[in-house]
Amino acid sequence: IFTGNELFSDAYPCKLIDDFVFEAEGMTITIDNSIDEAAIGGNASAEAEDEGGADDAKETAINLVYAFKLKPYELDKKAYKKHIMEYGKKLIAKMKDAGK
């Protein structure tokens, strides 16, 4: 509402709770970061089994976090309280401006 950043999309299951907050349903996905050797002209040699190339890696993530590149950040109780108070003030002002 204040940053314009998209946190989720209607392409994912979501619902509005108490006309106040959205709940989006995420799921764990596996991301395959392997490199297709054929796409870069690689040819497996019969003489050398392992030429020391990069290892293929697979990782798991929550689909919403991965799709929207969300990053975690740490807040202690004092910092969170300050943040939520500032957010509340902005939200109340925004609602008053909207006539609600």
Side-chain angles (χ1 to χ4, degrees), residues 8 12-14 23-29 61-65:
F8 62 92
Y12 299 94
C14 59
E23 179 182 280
E25 186 176 322
M27 58 189 262
T28 303
I29 59 171
I62 299 170
N63 61 347
L64 292 168
V65 173

Side-chain angles (χ1 to χ4, degrees), residues 69-86:
K69 298 178 177 77
L70 302 177
K71 302 291 180 197
Y73 61 94
E74 298 291 326
L75 286 178
D76 61 10
K77 187 175 181 178
K78 184 177 178 182
Y80 176 75
K81 186 174 180 179
K82 181 182 179 215
H83 170 74
I84 205 71
M85 294 296 283
E86 290 173 2

Side-chain angles (χ1 to χ4, degrees), residues 35-48:
I35 299 170
D36 183 10
E37 295 290 332
I40 56 175
N43 187 4
S45 172
E47 297 171 9

Side-chain angles (χ1 to χ4, degrees), residues 28-67:
T28 303
I29 59 171
T30 301
I31 300 131
D32 186 4
N33 293 322
S34 61
I35 299 170
D36 183 10
E37 295 290 332
I40 56 175
N43 187 4
S45 172
E47 297 171 9
E49 288 184 25
D50 184 18
E51 296 179 4
D55 293 332
D56 292 340
K58 291 185 180 182
E59 62 181 288
T60 59
I62 299 170
N63 61 347
L64 292 168
V65 173
Y66 182 75

